[in-house]
Amino acid sequence: MITIYLPDNNSRTLPQGSTGMDLANSISKSLAKEALVIRMNGDLKDLSEPLLDQAHVEIIMRSQPEALEVIRHDVAHLLAEAAKELYGDDLQVTIGPAIDKGFYYDFAREKPFTPEDLETLEQRMKEIVDRDEQIHREVWDRDKAVAFFKSIGEQYKAEIINDLPAGEPISLYRQGNFLDLCRGPHAPSTKRIGKAFKLLKLAGAYWRGDSKNPMLQRIYGTAWTSEQDLNDYLYQLEEAEKRDHRRLGKDMNLFHIQEEAVGSIFWHPKGWTLYKTLKNYISHKLDKAGYVEVNTPELVDRKLWEASGHWDKFGQNMFTVQTDEDKTLAVKPMNCPCHVQIFKQGSKSYRDLPLRMAEFGTCHRNEPSGALHGLMRVRRFTQDDAHIFCTPEQINAETKSFCDLLLSVYKDFGFQDVMVKFSDRPDVRAGSDAIWDKAEGALKAAIEEAGIPYSMNPGEGAFYGPKLEFVLKDTLGRDWQCGTWQVDFVLPERLDATYIGEDGEKHRPVMLHRAIFGSFERFIGVLIEHYAGKFPLWLSPTQVVVATITNAADAYAQQVLEKLKQVGIRAQIDLRNEKISYKIREHSLAKIPYIFVVGKQEAEQETVAVRIFGQDTQRVDALSVALSTIVNEAKMPDA
RNA sequence: GCCGCCGUGGCUCAGUGGUAGAGCGCACCCUUGGUAAGGGUGAGGUCGAGAGUUCAAUUCUCUCCGGCGGCACCA
């Protein structure tokens, strides 16, 4: 007999060789029916796993959060089994993990899958669920497993096994006629997986994520523990699409992109108003934080980029211009070398440090065509860039005050949870290992002193130094890096920046590269989605529309408009020969924050009927009151 | 850049081997209406570009350009 302990600390005694399923059955029939896997001594295992004596065992039911990942992985296997049944002759399976919200499976197959194939596959997957195939785990000998997969033409699987670390048990899962290499754990049978899944999209993906490898066909799907959750998720996806910044940008007439300038934004009056408002806001913040603003050239001789290292490391992605004097100029991809040039004008003393040099610098990078994405990934963008020249001793304090500044900015837009990633040295880099040790150490010490939680992002640093990336999510769950903070000992060296220290000797400053929005383009993209186009009053391109009920009020409406403009409110007027409900509807759909409705009554009494977006009530205010109220409410945060 | 899908009036989309349609928007007319669509009339498209097949291509084939979804990339 063996003894096991349940989560409530009760123990149970079972015959030697009893499994998780035996345990579940011994507790209750309903539990056994709902059970998916067990957790034994902390690890998830199959229900068929023999229990160890003295083990701590928890039965995981489909309603528990841990079940989700198991189910998603199970559904990936369903997909693979269905694909083998339907297209087995010319198809190899590779890998199919659970991911956030679902799963994918990568197949090697000459013929492309079609959207109709997805339906066929999904149908077959549901049939496999109905078949209620038992899912068995088998442990195989390594060589035998490799030989087996080779014999059935599954080269990719054979390759995976070959690359598994020695000593790792080779476990295979069998369901019906389908046998797959897999770590598990899995549900005990296909029926138990349920049918709360849907195949969503087809995509290409490189074998092992390397663009030198062949491209596989990836099928993405979503899977949940209940139909309800599935439907909720699908609904959520639809809602998210509605706030896609590319759609809203078009609907709201903010900007456009056209093929003569791929990856560059044509800002329309409304979008540009938004942009200018943000610039005004952040300028104000930077002023208060002790930055000075500069402006530097866009076209700079390649010699400078060679000296900085950009030409060597990223020349491929730089746009260049040949002059008739046979010089090569590069369109700047970053502002930092130019800022060093300003720093180097005249001599600098330790008393000048830290020198915080900001620029709304417009940069161009020749991003791969497939990377472009609305405002989020563009070839021409303007950064809220700055470089802080300081001493090594000043790094910690600067890091702390930058993080404070950044978080206060994000908070003004309602971004509360910001992911911070620590990116350390990349393979392609400048500077010695000793310098990198120093820079990474300094950054780590600084972030830890600032007390900000972060996760590691190995190998993703800039070529000149490690960085912190501040990441926001778009509505479709994609991550976008906005803010950045980088410690750089390399560029000051390469571009020979110095200052005179207290000792009268020359010293190297440290350069801290930083941005809060990242780029205006991306940040506006994130904001459009974040607010679903319903901008707060201070940001809204049009803050008020004055709408008339009858043209008898036209003259008065004009006066109201003038007064609004005089107090700095962005206002428009709607004198069209339309009913007031028509105008209300139209401006509400355009997400205008305030509508001032004026008719005969308002004209006679010098009032306006104020209608606020999102509320279907109205209040009538004296014009002077309405003006002072809106001026007050339209102030930018922290003004 | 790679794989797949897509490209029709300003917008959203339907459709066909015999040179195209809807709704919204737009213009004009009637209506002056009190808080999310009043009515009528009308204009507007070389069906992404080029080549090929065909008596005939917007429709089929190829190439290119662009968009979308991923992958790779993201200093």
Side-chain angles (χ1 to χ4, degrees), chain A residues 411-430:
Chain A
K411 201 168 158 228
D412 284 340
F413 296 95
F415 295 117
Q416 300 291 358
D417 44 345
V418 181
M419 269 199 303
V420 182
K421 295 187 193 169
F422 188 116
S423 300
D424 60 13
R425 67 193 78 186
D427 293 338
V428 179
R429 60 177 182 260

mmCIF file with all atom_site columns, all heavy atoms in Angstrom, chain A residues 411-430:
data_model
loop_
_atom_site.group_PDB
_atom_site.id
_atom_site.type_symbol
_atom_site.label_atom_id
_atom_site.label_alt_id
_atom_site.label_comp_id
_atom_site.label_asym_id
_atom_site.label_entity_id
_atom_site.label_seq_id
_atom_site.pdbx_PDB_ins_code
_atom_site.Cartn_x
_atom_site.Cartn_y
_atom_site.Cartn_z
_atom_site.occupancy
_atom_site.B_iso_or_equiv
_atom_site.pdbx_formal_charge
_atom_site.auth_seq_id
_atom_site.auth_comp_id
_atom_site.auth_asym_id
_atom_site.auth_atom_id
_atom_site.pdbx_PDB_model_num
ATOM 1   N N   . LYS A 1 411 ? 1.142  57.171 -16.512 1.00 0.00 ? 411 LYS A N   1
ATOM 2   C CA  . LYS A 1 411 ? -0.024 57.273 -15.643 1.00 0.00 ? 411 LYS A CA  1
ATOM 3   C C   . LYS A 1 411 ? -0.997 58.340 -16.147 1.00 0.00 ? 411 LYS A C   1
ATOM 4   O O   . LYS A 1 411 ? -2.212 58.176 -16.056 1.00 0.00 ? 411 LYS A O   1
ATOM 5   C CB  . LYS A 1 411 ? 0.440  57.613 -14.226 1.00 0.00 ? 411 LYS A CB  1
ATOM 6   C CG  . LYS A 1 411 ? -0.576 57.253 -13.177 1.00 0.00 ? 411 LYS A CG  1
ATOM 7   C CD  . LYS A 1 411 ? 0.013  57.327 -11.775 1.00 0.00 ? 411 LYS A CD  1
ATOM 8   C CE  . LYS A 1 411 ? -1.107 57.507 -10.768 1.00 0.00 ? 411 LYS A CE  1
ATOM 9   N NZ  . LYS A 1 411 ? -0.844 58.567 -9.808  1.00 0.00 ? 411 LYS A NZ  1
ATOM 10  N N   . ASP A 1 412 ? -0.453 59.411 -16.719 1.00 0.00 ? 412 ASP A N   1
ATOM 11  C CA  . ASP A 1 412 ? -1.315 60.458 -17.264 1.00 0.00 ? 412 ASP A CA  1
ATOM 12  C C   . ASP A 1 412 ? -2.205 59.931 -18.391 1.00 0.00 ? 412 ASP A C   1
ATOM 13  O O   . ASP A 1 412 ? -3.217 60.530 -18.718 1.00 0.00 ? 412 ASP A O   1
ATOM 14  C CB  . ASP A 1 412 ? -0.475 61.634 -17.788 1.00 0.00 ? 412 ASP A CB  1
ATOM 15  C CG  . ASP A 1 412 ? 0.062  62.496 -16.640 1.00 0.00 ? 412 ASP A CG  1
ATOM 16  O OD1 . ASP A 1 412 ? -0.500 62.430 -15.536 1.00 0.00 ? 412 ASP A OD1 1
ATOM 17  O OD2 . ASP A 1 412 ? 1.043  63.233 -16.873 1.00 0.00 ? 412 ASP A OD2 1
ATOM 18  N N   . PHE A 1 413 ? -1.789 58.833 -19.001 1.00 0.00 ? 413 PHE A N   1
ATOM 19  C CA  . PHE A 1 413 ? -2.597 58.238 -20.069 1.00 0.00 ? 413 PHE A CA  1
ATOM 20  C C   . PHE A 1 413 ? -3.342 57.003 -19.578 1.00 0.00 ? 413 PHE A C   1
ATOM 21  O O   . PHE A 1 413 ? -3.965 56.297 -20.370 1.00 0.00 ? 413 PHE A O   1
ATOM 22  C CB  . PHE A 1 413 ? -1.706 57.876 -21.263 1.00 0.00 ? 413 PHE A CB  1
ATOM 23  C CG  . PHE A 1 413 ? -1.077 59.082 -21.896 1.00 0.00 ? 413 PHE A CG  1
ATOM 24  C CD1 . PHE A 1 413 ? 0.201  59.483 -21.534 1.00 0.00 ? 413 PHE A CD1 1
ATOM 25  C CD2 . PHE A 1 413 ? -1.777 59.844 -22.814 1.00 0.00 ? 413 PHE A CD2 1
ATOM 26  C CE1 . PHE A 1 413 ? 0.773  60.614 -22.086 1.00 0.00 ? 413 PHE A CE1 1
ATOM 27  C CE2 . PHE A 1 413 ? -1.206 60.980 -23.376 1.00 0.00 ? 413 PHE A CE2 1
ATOM 28  C CZ  . PHE A 1 413 ? 0.067  61.367 -23.003 1.00 0.00 ? 413 PHE A CZ  1
ATOM 29  N N   . GLY A 1 414 ? -3.217 56.724 -18.307 1.00 0.00 ? 414 GLY A N   1
ATOM 30  C CA  . GLY A 1 414 ? -3.944 55.582 -17.754 1.00 0.00 ? 414 GLY A CA  1
ATOM 31  C C   . GLY A 1 414 ? -3.258 54.244 -17.957 1.00 0.00 ? 414 GLY A C   1
ATOM 32  O O   . GLY A 1 414 ? -3.885 53.203 -17.814 1.00 0.00 ? 414 GLY A O   1
ATOM 33  N N   . PHE A 1 415 ? -1.978 54.262 -18.280 1.00 0.00 ? 415 PHE A N   1
ATOM 34  C CA  . PHE A 1 415 ? -1.259 52.985 -18.375 1.00 0.00 ? 415 PHE A CA  1
ATOM 35  C C   . PHE A 1 415 ? -0.694 52.661 -17.007 1.00 0.00 ? 415 PHE A C   1
ATOM 36  O O   . PHE A 1 415 ? 0.264  53.285 -16.563 1.00 0.00 ? 415 PHE A O   1
ATOM 37  C CB  . PHE A 1 415 ? -0.113 53.064 -19.384 1.00 0.00 ? 415 PHE A CB  1
ATOM 38  C CG  . PHE A 1 415 ? -0.557 53.283 -20.791 1.00 0.00 ? 415 PHE A CG  1
ATOM 39  C CD1 . PHE A 1 415 ? -0.203 54.421 -21.480 1.00 0.00 ? 415 PHE A CD1 1
ATOM 40  C CD2 . PHE A 1 415 ? -1.333 52.332 -21.440 1.00 0.00 ? 415 PHE A CD2 1
ATOM 41  C CE1 . PHE A 1 415 ? -0.607 54.630 -22.781 1.00 0.00 ? 415 PHE A CE1 1
ATOM 42  C CE2 . PHE A 1 415 ? -1.752 52.532 -22.746 1.00 0.00 ? 415 PHE A CE2 1
ATOM 43  C CZ  . PHE A 1 415 ? -1.389 53.687 -23.423 1.00 0.00 ? 415 PHE A CZ  1
ATOM 44  N N   . GLN A 1 416 ? -1.301 51.698 -16.346 1.00 0.00 ? 416 GLN A N   1
ATOM 45  C CA  . GLN A 1 416 ? -0.873 51.386 -14.986 1.00 0.00 ? 416 GLN A CA  1
ATOM 46  C C   . GLN A 1 416 ? 0.138  50.241 -14.966 1.00 0.00 ? 416 GLN A C   1
ATOM 47  O O   . GLN A 1 416 ? 1.127  50.313 -14.273 1.00 0.00 ? 416 GLN A O   1
ATOM 48  C CB  . GLN A 1 416 ? -2.072 51.031 -14.105 1.00 0.00 ? 416 GLN A CB  1
ATOM 49  C CG  . GLN A 1 416 ? -3.095 52.151 -13.999 1.00 0.00 ? 416 GLN A CG  1
ATOM 50  C CD  . GLN A 1 416 ? -2.607 53.375 -13.223 1.00 0.00 ? 416 GLN A CD  1
ATOM 51  O OE1 . GLN A 1 416 ? -1.503 53.398 -12.708 1.00 0.00 ? 416 GLN A OE1 1
ATOM 52  N NE2 . GLN A 1 416 ? -3.443 54.398 -13.165 1.00 0.00 ? 416 GLN A NE2 1
ATOM 53  N N   . ASP A 1 417 ? -0.166 49.196 -15.735 1.00 0.00 ? 417 ASP A N   1
ATOM 54  C CA  . ASP A 1 417 ? 0.789  48.085 -15.696 1.00 0.00 ? 417 ASP A CA  1
ATOM 55  C C   . ASP A 1 417 ? 1.641  48.071 -16.957 1.00 0.00 ? 417 ASP A C   1
ATOM 56  O O   . ASP A 1 417 ? 1.182  47.823 -18.049 1.00 0.00 ? 417 ASP A O   1
ATOM 57  C CB  . ASP A 1 417 ? 0.102  46.736 -15.468 1.00 0.00 ? 417 ASP A CB  1
ATOM 58  C CG  . ASP A 1 417 ? -1.140 46.597 -16.319 1.00 0.00 ? 417 ASP A CG  1
ATOM 59  O OD1 . ASP A 1 417 ? -1.598 47.628 -16.840 1.00 0.00 ? 417 ASP A OD1 1
ATOM 60  O OD2 . ASP A 1 417 ? -1.622 45.468 -16.472 1.00 0.00 ? 417 ASP A OD2 1
ATOM 61  N N   . VAL A 1 418 ? 2.895  48.371 -16.724 1.00 0.00 ? 418 VAL A N   1
ATOM 62  C CA  . VAL A 1 418 ? 3.857  48.478 -17.800 1.00 0.00 ? 418 VAL A CA  1
ATOM 63  C C   . VAL A 1 418 ? 4.862  47.358 -17.578 1.00 0.00 ? 418 VAL A C   1
ATOM 64  O O   . VAL A 1 418 ? 5.358  47.191 -16.473 1.00 0.00 ? 418 VAL A O   1
ATOM 65  C CB  . VAL A 1 418 ? 4.579  49.834 -17.712 1.00 0.00 ? 418 VAL A CB  1
ATOM 66  C CG1 . VAL A 1 418 ? 5.576  49.973 -18.837 1.00 0.00 ? 418 VAL A CG1 1
ATOM 67  C CG2 . VAL A 1 418 ? 3.569  50.967 -17.715 1.00 0.00 ? 418 VAL A CG2 1
ATOM 68  N N   . MET A 1 419 ? 5.116  46.584 -18.625 1.00 0.00 ? 419 MET A N   1
ATOM 69  C CA  . MET A 1 419 ? 6.115  45.530 -18.490 1.00 0.00 ? 419 MET A CA  1
ATOM 70  C C   . MET A 1 419 ? 7.501  46.125 -18.688 1.00 0.00 ? 419 MET A C   1
ATOM 71  O O   . MET A 1 419 ? 7.705  46.922 -19.607 1.00 0.00 ? 419 MET A O   1
ATOM 72  C CB  . MET A 1 419 ? 5.906  44.480 -19.574 1.00 0.00 ? 419 MET A CB  1
ATOM 73  C CG  . MET A 1 419 ? 5.002  43.354 -19.175 1.00 0.00 ? 419 MET A CG  1
ATOM 74  S SD  . MET A 1 419 ? 5.279  41.946 -20.261 1.00 0.00 ? 419 MET A SD  1
ATOM 75  C CE  . MET A 1 419 ? 4.970  42.655 -21.867 1.00 0.00 ? 419 MET A CE  1
ATOM 76  N N   . VAL A 1 420 ? 8.436  45.720 -17.853 1.00 0.00 ? 420 VAL A N   1
ATOM 77  C CA  . VAL A 1 420 ? 9.802  46.189 -18.022 1.00 0.00 ? 420 VAL A CA  1
ATOM 78  C C   . VAL A 1 420 ? 10.687 44.984 -18.322 1.00 0.00 ? 420 VAL A C   1
ATOM 79  O O   . VAL A 1 420 ? 10.670 43.995 -17.596 1.00 0.00 ? 420 VAL A O   1
ATOM 80  C CB  . VAL A 1 420 ? 10.312 46.911 -16.760 1.00 0.00 ? 420 VAL A CB  1
ATOM 81  C CG1 . VAL A 1 420 ? 11.726 47.422 -16.988 1.00 0.00 ? 420 VAL A CG1 1
ATOM 82  C CG2 . VAL A 1 420 ? 9.379  48.052 -16.389 1.00 0.00 ? 420 VAL A CG2 1
ATOM 83  N N   . LYS A 1 421 ? 11.412 45.087 -19.426 1.00 0.00 ? 421 LYS A N   1
ATOM 84  C CA  . LYS A 1 421 ? 12.318 44.000 -19.789 1.00 0.00 ? 421 LYS A CA  1
ATOM 85  C C   . LYS A 1 421 ? 13.758 44.507 -19.738 1.00 0.00 ? 421 LYS A C   1
ATOM 86  O O   . LYS A 1 421 ? 14.039 45.598 -20.216 1.00 0.00 ? 421 LYS A O   1
ATOM 87  C CB  . LYS A 1 421 ? 12.042 43.514 -21.206 1.00 0.00 ? 421 LYS A CB  1
ATOM 88  C CG  . LYS A 1 421 ? 10.687 42.872 -21.390 1.00 0.00 ? 421 LYS A CG  1
ATOM 89  C CD  . LYS A 1 421 ? 10.635 42.295 -22.790 1.00 0.00 ? 421 LYS A CD  1
ATOM 90  C CE  . LYS A 1 421 ? 9.234  41.918 -23.197 1.00 0.00 ? 421 LYS A CE  1
ATOM 91  N NZ  . LYS A 1 421 ? 9.175  41.612 -24.628 1.00 0.00 ? 421 LYS A NZ  1
ATOM 92  N N   . PHE A 1 422 ? 14.607 43.695 -19.181 1.00 0.00 ? 422 PHE A N   1
ATOM 93  C CA  . PHE A 1 422 ? 16.029 44.004 -19.106 1.00 0.00 ? 422 PHE A CA  1
ATOM 94  C C   . PHE A 1 422 ? 16.719 43.252 -20.240 1.00 0.00 ? 422 PHE A C   1
ATOM 95  O O   . PHE A 1 422 ? 16.753 42.037 -20.236 1.00 0.00 ? 422 PHE A O   1
ATOM 96  C CB  . PHE A 1 422 ? 16.578 43.557 -17.751 1.00 0.00 ? 422 PHE A CB  1
ATOM 97  C CG  . PHE A 1 422 ? 17.988 43.999 -17.488 1.00 0.00 ? 422 PHE A CG  1
ATOM 98  C CD1 . PHE A 1 422 ? 18.256 44.883 -16.444 1.00 0.00 ? 422 PHE A CD1 1
ATOM 99  C CD2 . PHE A 1 422 ? 19.040 43.525 -18.241 1.00 0.00 ? 422 PHE A CD2 1
ATOM 100 C CE1 . PHE A 1 422 ? 19.555 45.290 -16.179 1.00 0.00 ? 422 PHE A CE1 1
ATOM 101 C CE2 . PHE A 1 422 ? 20.338 43.927 -17.984 1.00 0.00 ? 422 PHE A CE2 1
ATOM 102 C CZ  . PHE A 1 422 ? 20.600 44.811 -16.951 1.00 0.00 ? 422 PHE A CZ  1
ATOM 103 N N   . SER A 1 423 ? 17.234 43.980 -21.226 1.00 0.00 ? 423 SER A N   1
ATOM 104 C CA  . SER A 1 423 ? 17.874 43.336 -22.367 1.00 0.00 ? 423 SER A CA  1
ATOM 105 C C   . SER A 1 423 ? 19.380 43.441 -22.248 1.00 0.00 ? 423 SER A C   1
ATOM 106 O O   . SER A 1 423 ? 19.925 44.541 -22.191 1.00 0.00 ? 423 SER A O   1
ATOM 107 C CB  . SER A 1 423 ? 17.411 44.004 -23.663 1.00 0.00 ? 423 SER A CB  1
ATOM 108 O OG  . SER A 1 423 ? 16.021 43.875 -23.791 1.00 0.00 ? 423 SER A OG  1
ATOM 109 N N   . ASP A 1 424 ? 20.029 42.303 -22.221 1.00 0.00 ? 424 ASP A N   1
ATOM 110 C CA  . ASP A 1 424 ? 21.487 42.338 -22.062 1.00 0.00 ? 424 ASP A CA  1
ATOM 111 C C   . ASP A 1 424 ? 22.200 42.104 -23.386 1.00 0.00 ? 424 ASP A C   1
ATOM 112 O O   . ASP A 1 424 ? 21.582 42.101 -24.442 1.00 0.00 ? 424 ASP A O   1
ATOM 113 C CB  . ASP A 1 424 ? 21.944 41.389 -20.955 1.00 0.00 ? 424 ASP A CB  1
ATOM 114 C CG  . ASP A 1 424 ? 21.559 39.949 -21.242 1.00 0.00 ? 424 ASP A CG  1
ATOM 115 O OD1 . ASP A 1 424 ? 21.160 39.653 -22.386 1.00 0.00 ? 424 ASP A OD1 1
ATOM 116 O OD2 . ASP A 1 424 ? 21.644 39.122 -20.320 1.00 0.00 ? 424 ASP A OD2 1
ATOM 117 N N   . ARG A 1 425 ? 23.498 41.880 -23.334 1.00 0.00 ? 425 ARG A N   1
ATOM 118 C CA  . ARG A 1 425 ? 24.350 41.955 -24.538 1.00 0.00 ? 425 ARG A CA  1
ATOM 119 C C   . ARG A 1 425 ? 23.892 41.063 -25.692 1.00 0.00 ? 425 ARG A C   1
ATOM 120 O O   . ARG A 1 425 ? 23.632 39.885 -25.512 1.00 0.00 ? 425 ARG A O   1
ATOM 121 C CB  . ARG A 1 425 ? 25.805 41.657 -24.180 1.00 0.00 ? 425 ARG A CB  1
ATOM 122 C CG  . ARG A 1 425 ? 26.089 40.245 -23.730 1.00 0.00 ? 425 ARG A CG  1
ATOM 123 C CD  . ARG A 1 425 ? 27.467 40.127 -23.113 1.00 0.00 ? 425 ARG A CD  1
ATOM 124 N NE  . ARG A 1 425 ? 27.487 40.645 -21.736 1.00 0.00 ? 425 ARG A NE  1
ATOM 125 C CZ  . ARG A 1 425 ? 28.584 40.760 -20.999 1.00 0.00 ? 425 ARG A CZ  1
ATOM 126 N NH1 . ARG A 1 425 ? 29.766 40.425 -21.491 1.00 0.00 ? 425 ARG A NH1 1
ATOM 127 N NH2 . ARG A 1 425 ? 28.503 41.207 -19.765 1.00 0.00 ? 425 ARG A NH2 1
ATOM 128 N N   . PRO A 1 426 ? 23.821 41.629 -26.885 1.00 0.00 ? 426 PRO A N   1
ATOM 129 C CA  . PRO A 1 426 ? 23.465 40.854 -28.081 1.00 0.00 ? 426 PRO A CA  1
ATOM 130 C C   . PRO A 1 426 ? 24.711 40.237 -28.706 1.00 0.00 ? 426 PRO A C   1
ATOM 131 O O   . PRO A 1 426 ? 25.826 40.580 -28.326 1.00 0.00 ? 426 PRO A O   1
ATOM 132 C CB  . PRO A 1 426 ? 22.884 41.912 -29.011 1.00 0.00 ? 426 PRO A CB  1
ATOM 133 C CG  . PRO A 1 426 ? 23.625 43.162 -28.652 1.00 0.00 ? 426 PRO A CG  1
ATOM 134 C CD  . PRO A 1 426 ? 23.972 43.060 -27.193 1.00 0.00 ? 426 PRO A CD  1
ATOM 135 N N   . ASP A 1 427 ? 24.507 39.327 -29.645 1.00 0.00 ? 427 ASP A N   1
ATOM 136 C CA  . ASP A 1 427 ? 25.643 38.698 -30.316 1.00 0.00 ? 427 ASP A CA  1
ATOM 137 C C   . ASP A 1 427 ? 26.439 39.723 -31.116 1.00 0.00 ? 427 ASP A C   1
ATOM 138 O O   . ASP A 1 427 ? 27.659 39.737 -31.088 1.00 0.00 ? 427 ASP A O   1
ATOM 139 C CB  . ASP A 1 427 ? 25.160 37.583 -31.244 1.00 0.00 ? 427 ASP A CB  1
ATOM 140 C CG  . ASP A 1 427 ? 24.569 36.433 -30.449 1.00 0.00 ? 427 ASP A CG  1
ATOM 141 O OD1 . ASP A 1 427 ? 24.917 36.316 -29.251 1.00 0.00 ? 427 ASP A OD1 1
ATOM 142 O OD2 . ASP A 1 427 ? 23.751 35.684 -31.006 1.00 0.00 ? 427 ASP A OD2 1
ATOM 143 N N   . VAL A 1 428 ? 25.705 40.551 -31.854 1.00 0.00 ? 428 VAL A N   1
ATOM 144 C CA  . VAL A 1 428 ? 26.377 41.586 -32.645 1.00 0.00 ? 428 VAL A CA  1
ATOM 145 C C   . VAL A 1 428 ? 26.484 42.826 -31.774 1.00 0.00 ? 428 VAL A C   1
ATOM 146 O O   . VAL A 1 428 ? 25.487 43.447 -31.447 1.00 0.00 ? 428 VAL A O   1
ATOM 147 C CB  . VAL A 1 428 ? 25.548 41.924 -33.909 1.00 0.00 ? 428 VAL A CB  1
ATOM 148 C CG1 . VAL A 1 428 ? 26.239 43.017 -34.723 1.00 0.00 ? 428 VAL A CG1 1
ATOM 149 C CG2 . VAL A 1 428 ? 25.340 40.680 -34.750 1.00 0.00 ? 428 VAL A CG2 1
ATOM 150 N N   . ARG A 1 429 ? 27.704 43.171 -31.367 1.00 0.00 ? 429 ARG A N   1
ATOM 151 C CA  . ARG A 1 429 ? 27.834 44.310 -30.450 1.00 0.00 ? 429 ARG A CA  1
ATOM 152 C C   . ARG A 1 429 ? 29.189 44.968 -30.589 1.00 0.00 ? 429 ARG A C   1
ATOM 153 O O   . ARG A 1 429 ? 30.132 44.410 -31.155 1.00 0.00 ? 429 ARG A O   1
ATOM 154 C CB  . ARG A 1 429 ? 27.623 43.836 -29.010 1.00 0.00 ? 429 ARG A CB  1
ATOM 155 C CG  . ARG A 1 429 ? 28.641 42.783 -28.569 1.00 0.00 ? 429 ARG A CG  1
ATOM 156 C CD  . ARG A 1 429 ? 28.434 42.384 -27.112 1.00 0.00 ? 429 ARG A CD  1
ATOM 157 N NE  . ARG A 1 429 ? 29.429 41.426 -26.674 1.00 0.00 ? 429 ARG A NE  1
ATOM 158 C CZ  . ARG A 1 429 ? 29.219 40.110 -26.595 1.00 0.00 ? 429 ARG A CZ  1
ATOM 159 N NH1 . ARG A 1 429 ? 28.044 39.608 -26.937 1.00 0.00 ? 429 ARG A NH1 1
ATOM 160 N NH2 . ARG A 1 429 ? 30.181 39.310 -26.195 1.00 0.00 ? 429 ARG A NH2 1
ATOM 161 N N   . ALA A 1 430 ? 29.233 46.192 -30.075 1.00 0.00 ? 430 ALA A N   1
ATOM 162 C CA  . ALA A 1 430 ? 30.505 46.907 -30.010 1.00 0.00 ? 430 ALA A CA  1
ATOM 163 C C   . ALA A 1 430 ? 30.933 46.944 -28.548 1.00 0.00 ? 430 ALA A C   1
ATOM 164 O O   . ALA A 1 430 ? 30.105 46.821 -27.656 1.00 0.00 ? 430 ALA A O   1
ATOM 165 C CB  . ALA A 1 430 ? 30.333 48.322 -30.554 1.00 0.00 ? 430 ALA A CB  1
#
